[in-house]
Amino acid sequence: MALTAQQMPRWFSLIRWNSFITAAQLGNRFQRPGKTLLHGFSAQPQMSSHNCFLQWGFKMYRTSSIWNNTSQSTKQEINSDESTMLPSVNEQPQEMSHFDSELSLEGLDDVPPLSPLQPISEEEAVQIIADPPLPPASFTLRDYVDHSETLQKLVLLGVNLSKIEKHPDAANLLLRLDFEKDIKQILLFLKDLGIEDNQLGAFLTKNYAIFSEDLENLKTRVAYLQSKNFTKADITQMVRNAPFLLNFSVERLDNRLGFFQKELELNVKKTRDLVVRLPRLLTGSLEPVKENMKVYHLELGFKHNEIQHMITKIPKMLTANKRKLTEIFDYVHNVMSIPHHIIVRFPQVFNTRLFKVKERHLFLTYLGRAQYDPAKPNYISLDKLVSMPDEIFCEEIAKASVQDFEKFLKTL
């Protein structure tokens, strides 16, 4: 007997997977041309998986109606088949287990997916494991590493995210970047420049802002340095020691080079050598440099050519702490009685800790060997005084044991 309009909603709500299998079995009995699914079930090639159940139901309904009009005997046979194939509300399928064994694995691939709006039981809902949502805001990048391919690859490169996350703007920048589109080309550029794989992590930890720079601008700045006769090795050394160097425009770099050449009255080669040895001169503030130049000339009394000589040998003297400079000069010049022209020959004394100079001078004075005049015997140069380790200083300069030196230090 054909299904009525009132029975259709109840039939669709009950059959679900059982109806799919039953419909497939009915298709085995009455094959029609088209695409074959699950042992002979026929469907149109372009049929949507969301409409499969509806199409199957109407096909069976139409088939039973046509046969109902042909003959009474055929109608009885079809009704008999339908009563067997289509269970009523209170019936259970009798041949389910038998037909399950006939389904092929290939056919199961064509089973239409369940709708995302399909209601589920509480037991099924409990079994669903959802990924934790991304926090809308966080004080650490650790909460985002598992969800960000970019952060994961930066960690593998050795980038210290704990330092970057202290700068909120930097953390937000990294979260917005795509590794393939925004980062990969920058990394290849740095490698071509000479930055080694084991140096990338430390470099990017300091200069994460390079990812916001345009690649063509970076290449332009390298080309500018090359035009000023900086070799590739020079540029690599400068970028490694001053990671922010390439973040500055060509105009900024040109102005800095011009400043040092003019203020220090250096030729082109000496200016180039100066910034290669201390590239922070191109990236840092000029105020400490200007202040130290005044200190050397006005407070310490060095001549301009003496200042030139000292800074070309020890470039760090341009950025050294003003208080440290004055304290060391005061002790060496006024206490140790070393004149300017000798200090100029050994400017590394300004790069030494004051207490080290004091300890060794006092020990030599105690031994009667504190003689810093090159015109007299037993002369001790400032270079040897401040640069040698304790063992060599005691053996070659003080002519004493290290134990004697340590005992003397306890008396200070």
Side-chain angles (χ1 to χ4, degrees):
M1 178 176 185
L3 295 173
T4 65
Q6 289 79 8
Q7 290 175 312
M8 289 292 291
R10 298 174 56 192
W11 181 73
F12 281 121
S13 64
L14 289 174
I15 62 174
R16 300 192 184 281
W17 291 98
N18 295 340
S19 297
F20 168 71
I21 298 172
T22 306
Q25 186 176 5
L26 183 61
N28 270 333
R29 293 171 179 256
F30 308 102
Q31 296 184 6
R32 300 178 69 178
K35 183 179 178 182
T36 301
L37 302 174
L38 291 179
H39 295 279
F41 184 80
S42 181
Q44 296 298 325
Q46 297 180 351
M47 183 183 298
S48 170
S49 61
H50 299 289
N51 299 324
C52 284
F53 288 118
L54 186 59
Q55 294 285 349
W56 296 330
F58 279 117
K59 281 184 179 182
M60 288 181 287
Y61 179 87
R62 290 165 56 190
T63 302
S64 68
S65 299
I66 293 172
W67 292 334
N68 189 39
N69 295 330
T70 56
S71 64
Q72 184 65 29
S73 59
T74 305
K75 176 180 177 181
Q76 292 175 354
E77 182 181 355
I78 296 174
N79 288 340
S80 176
D81 289 337
E82 284 187 317
S83 64
T84 302
M85 297 301 107
L86 302 176
S88 64
V89 176
N90 296 323
E91 288 180 340
Q92 297 294 333
Q94 300 297 324
E95 300 181 3
M96 184 67 65
S97 61
H98 171 70
F99 187 70
D100 285 343
S101 64
E102 297 179 358
L103 290 175
S104 67
L105 292 177
E106 180 182 359
L108 290 177
D109 292 337
D110 294 330
V111 175
L114 293 177
S115 169
L117 301 179
Q118 175 67 38
I120 60 176
S121 64
E122 293 185 2
E123 292 77 7
E124 294 173 324
V126 171
Q127 296 176 0
I128 297 176
I129 301 177
D131 292 332
L134 283 173
S138 177
F139 292 101
T140 175
L141 286 172
R142 181 177 54 188
D143 296 334
Y144 300 94
V145 172
D146 291 338
H147 307 276
S148 172
E149 179 187 8
T150 296
L151 294 182
Q152 292 171 10
K153 292 186 176 180
L154 289 177
V155 170
L156 293 177
L157 287 172
V159 177
N160 191 338
L161 298 182
S162 64
K163 293 184 178 180
I164 295 179
E165 67 189 15
K166 296 177 182 179
H167 309 277
D169 293 340
N172 292 333
L173 170 66
L174 294 184
L175 289 174
R176 292 194 302 266
L177 295 178
D178 179 86
F179 188 86
E180 293 296 328
K181 294 190 301 182
D182 304 319
I183 295 181
K184 186 176 181 179
Q185 295 301 318
I186 300 293
L187 296 179
L188 294 176
F189 166 78
L190 292 175
K191 286 181 64 64
D192 290 341
L193 200 59
I195 305 299
E196 301 295 336
D197 292 345
N198 59 356
Q199 298 170 339
L200 283 173
F203 179 90
L204 297 175
T205 299
K206 294 180 180 179
N207 187 17
Y208 46 80
I210 197 172
F211 294 132
S212 62
E213 295 288 336
D214 183 76
L215 182 59
E216 293 303 319
N217 289 339
L218 296 176
K219 293 180 179 179
T220 300
R221 293 158 193 169
V222 172
Y224 166 77
L225 293 175
Q226 291 174 338
S227 71
K228 296 299 181 180
N229 294 326
F230 288 92
T231 66
K232 183 177 180 180
D234 291 338
I235 298 174
T236 301
Q237 179 180 338
M238 293 167 66
V239 172
R240 187 186 298 122
N241 295 332
F244 293 98
L245 178 66
L246 296 181
N247 292 43
F248 294 99
S249 65
V250 170
E251 293 76 10
R252 165 75 176 262
L253 297 176
D254 189 67
N255 289 337
R256 284 301 177 90
L257 290 174
F259 170 82
F260 290 108
Q261 185 174 355
K262 179 181 178 180
E263 292 296 320
L264 303 178
E265 297 182 4
L266 300 175
N267 59 34
V268 175
K269 184 181 183 304
K270 288 186 177 181
T271 303
R272 185 167 55 244
D273 293 342
L274 179 70
V275 298
V276 168
R277 295 175 61 190
L278 190 64
R280 289 184 289 120
L281 293 174
L282 299 178
T283 61
S285 172
L286 289 178
E287 293 306 316
V289 175
K290 295 177 180 179
E291 184 68 21
N292 284 351
M293 292 293 292
K294 293 179 181 179
V295 170
Y296 292 130
H297 183 62
L298 301 178
E299 296 185 27
L300 306 186
F302 289 101
K303 300 176 182 179
H304 188 76
N305 62 329
E306 292 176 333
I307 298 173
Q308 277 184 331
H309 177 79
M310 289 190 297
I311 63 174
T312 53
K313 293 189 67 174
I314 309 294
K316 286 185 179 180
M317 289 180 61
L318 287 172
T319 57
N321 180 271
K322 175 184 174 181
R323 180 179 177 181
K324 176 183 177 181
L325 292 175
T326 54
E327 288 179 347
I328 290 178
F329 176 81
D330 180 67
Y331 190 84
V332 171
H333 182 67
N334 297 321
V335 176
M336 298 172 62
S337 302
I338 299 179
H340 283 76
H341 70 276
I342 294 181
I343 296 177
V344 171
R345 291 172 56 190
F346 306 104
Q348 53 267 37
V349 69
F350 289 105
N351 204 28
T352 308
R353 290 171 294 181
L354 178 59
F355 76 87
K356 183 177 181 179
V357 177
K358 284 184 176 181
E359 289 175 350
R360 293 189 175 187
H361 169 68
L362 292 175
F363 185 55
L364 291 176
T365 301
Y366 172 75
L367 297 175
R369 303 185 62 86
Q371 206 288 97
Y372 308 111
D373 187 350
K376 298 179 181 179
N378 300 322
Y379 164 68
I380 297 175
S381 69
L382 284 177
D383 181 34
K384 293 181 179 180
L385 179 71
V386 301
S387 62
M388 289 182 173
D390 287 344
E391 294 80 6
I392 298 178
F393 166 76
C394 292
E395 181 181 352
E396 297 185 5
I397 305 300
K399 307 297 182 181
S401 65
V402 177
Q403 292 75 16
D404 292 337
F405 182 50
E406 292 175 349
K407 289 180 181 179
F408 174 77
L409 294 179
K410 293 179 181 179
T411 65
L412 297 180

